[in-house]
Amino acid sequence: MTVSDPGRRARAVVELLRQGRFGEVEELFAPALRALVPTGGLGAAWLAGTGGNGAVRAIGEARCDPDGPVRVPMTFERGLLTAVVSFDDAGLLDGLRVDDPSAPVWTPPPYARPEAFDEHAVTIGSGDLAVPGTLTVPRGPGPWPGVVLLAGGGPFDRDGTTGPNKPLKDLAWGLAGRGVAVLRFDKVTCAHPSRVPATMTDEYVPHAVAAVRLLRERADVDRVFVAGHSMGGKVSPRVAAAEPSVAGLVLLAGDAEPMHRAAVRVVRHLAASDPGAQAAVETFERQAAAVEDPGLSADTPAAELPFGLPGCYWLDLRGYDPVATAAALDKPMLILQGGRDYQVTVADDLARWRAGLAHRADVTFRVHDADDHLFFPGAGPVTPADYTRPQHVDPEVVSDIAIWLERAR
């Protein structure tokens, strides 16, 4: 693409996206953006950000901000979104996101009681990989049960921000109002986006263990639990195995199906409503096969693997059975699942947890039939577009966790 005008270049990028030519867009990436978006991951990211809106019907005129990004309005079959595109001095693409121009800001859930707690900024870990976090503590002498929240896969901030929604902040505020001290923090991949973790352990465990120990140092906290969402739930048994002081686990939509297989299943599901995403399906199928190849090694190019994660990351995942790791722990667990979740499902994931932990009297299972992957209640099939409208974590989920924590103490 040799167009020099930023507005025309931005519209040309959006046209390539509309046509599903994601590889050609990735070839335009500046080094800074290439470090953030794994090779082959753009198609899935585009599908996740726009899925449910249908196909792009029209591309509007580009609006160039002075010394800033270019905004290109897109008219979909079922909604309006804006592509925000920026270029570096060499004319390479160094910024790309999709915004909903009408999206409101987060507001506290109805069940939050801000007058009942205080929040403090904290730092988790030390050195050049330290990350910022927030400690939410009930007012009063305590002692309170403590919970460390772990976000799902991807570079999530401490709130699990997804569009206008902040599900981890919902949980923190909801639980703190019910007498639980909650510590949440930006993932290392959010705070340090250029650092690709070698393994899932590197991505989660050091900071999770540091957060548990920080909470345990407080005189107003008696026992500390770990509550992980999605991939954060998957890794939670490994955190508890690494830090024996963890009193118990709460798994919220914790995935148990091998991640490379789940990625293919999810992309196929999304592509069913978007024929233009077939290229993304084929990419993920090819990459998943590379993960299962007996010849997979630390030297396998990351570009050939899902999400651009290195071979050592997938070797670690292949050798990790979250259900077996959880079964070996002598700790109580609460396992929560949304019935409408298409990413982590009752059939593909919860069934594995149940099969491996059914013999444990100290493991409680709860399915919230109306909830999606973020535990937002609703009705009907879920699409990625649903996450672009303001919602809050189901109050029954907050209640489940608070009651279980009090009993598990």
Side-chain angles (χ1 to χ4, degrees), residues 50-390:
T50 65
N53 289 287
V56 179
R57 291 305 188 198
I59 300 174
E61 290 300 317
R63 302 190 301 274
C64 301
D65 296 345
D67 301 319
V70 183
R71 300 177 184 275
V72 182
M74 303 175 292
T75 302
F76 289 77
E77 292 176 326
R78 294 181 290 279
L80 299 173
L81 296 173
T82 299
V84 183
V85 185
S86 59
F87 302 92
D88 66 8
D89 293 338
L92 295 173
L93 189 63
D94 72 351
L96 176 62
R97 71 176 191 270
V98 176
D99 287 348
D100 180 349
S102 63
V105 298
W106 180 87
T107 57
Y111 47 79
R113 298 174 54 227
E115 75 282 358
F117 58 81
D118 296 304
E119 288 201 312
H120 312 283
V122 296
T123 298
I124 307 299
S126 60
D128 61 356
L129 288 182
V131 300
T134 300
L135 176 60
T136 311
V137 185
R139 292 177 179 168
W144 317 108
V147 170
V148 171
L149 296 182
L150 301 182
F156 280 107
D157 65 13
R158 72 199 72 179
D159 298 328
T161 301
T162 304
N165 301 301
K166 297 181 180 294
L168 296 190
K169 190 170 184 177
D170 287 351
L171 283 173
W173 283 33
L175 290 172
R178 298 188 57 144
V180 180
V182 183
L183 180 54
R184 64 195 195 275
F185 53 89
D186 294 352
K187 287 183 63 178
V188 68
T189 46
C190 174
H192 306 282
S194 64
R195 304 290 289 265
V196 178
T199 66
M200 183 179 65
T201 297
D202 299 324
E203 185 177 3
Y204 281 95
V205 174
H207 292 94
V209 168
V212 169
R213 292 176 179 173
L214 187 152
L215 265 186
R216 280 185 53 80
E217 292 174 356
R218 294 185 61 91
D220 56 356
V221 174
D222 55 3
R223 302 182 73 193
V224 179
F225 299 79
V226 171
H229 174 254
S230 195
M231 192 176 191
K234 184 191 201 82
V235 76
S236 290
R238 183 170 274 182
V239 173
E243 177 49 60
S245 71
V246 171
L249 301 177
V250 179
L251 310 185
L252 298 113
D255 51 309
E257 182 182 19
M259 192 168 79
H260 59 288
R261 297 176 192 167
V264 173
R265 172 176 55 77
V266 170
V267 174
R268 284 175 178 165
H269 171 86
L270 295 174
S273 59
D274 185 357
Q278 186 56 38
V281 174
E282 294 170 357
T283 295
F284 271 86
E285 288 175 340
R286 182 174 62 254
Q287 292 172 338
V291 171
E292 296 192 342
D293 189 328
L296 175 69
S297 74
D299 296 325
T300 301
E304 298 177 6
L305 301 168
F307 310 113
L309 295 170
C312 50
Y313 196 101
W314 291 104
L315 287 169
D316 176 62
L317 275 179
R318 281 199 335 192
Y320 175 57
D321 184 339
V323 177
T325 304
L329 297 171
D330 184 20
K331 301 179 188 294
M333 285 170 257
L334 172 63
I335 300 179
L336 301 174
Q337 175 66 45
R340 296 169 58 239
D341 189 347
Y342 68 83
Q343 293 160 265
V344 175
T345 72
V346 172
D348 299 292
D349 298 279
L350 185 63
R352 296 171 188 258
W353 293 110
R354 280 177 164 159
L357 298 170
H359 64 290
R360 293 277 298 273
D362 59 348
V363 177
T364 301
F365 297 92
R366 283 292 304 274
V367 177
H368 290 265
D369 290 328
D371 292 356
D372 60 20
H373 186 58
L374 298 181
F375 290 91
F376 299 155
V382 182
T383 71
D386 291 325
Y387 301 132
T388 65
R389 61 183 180 85

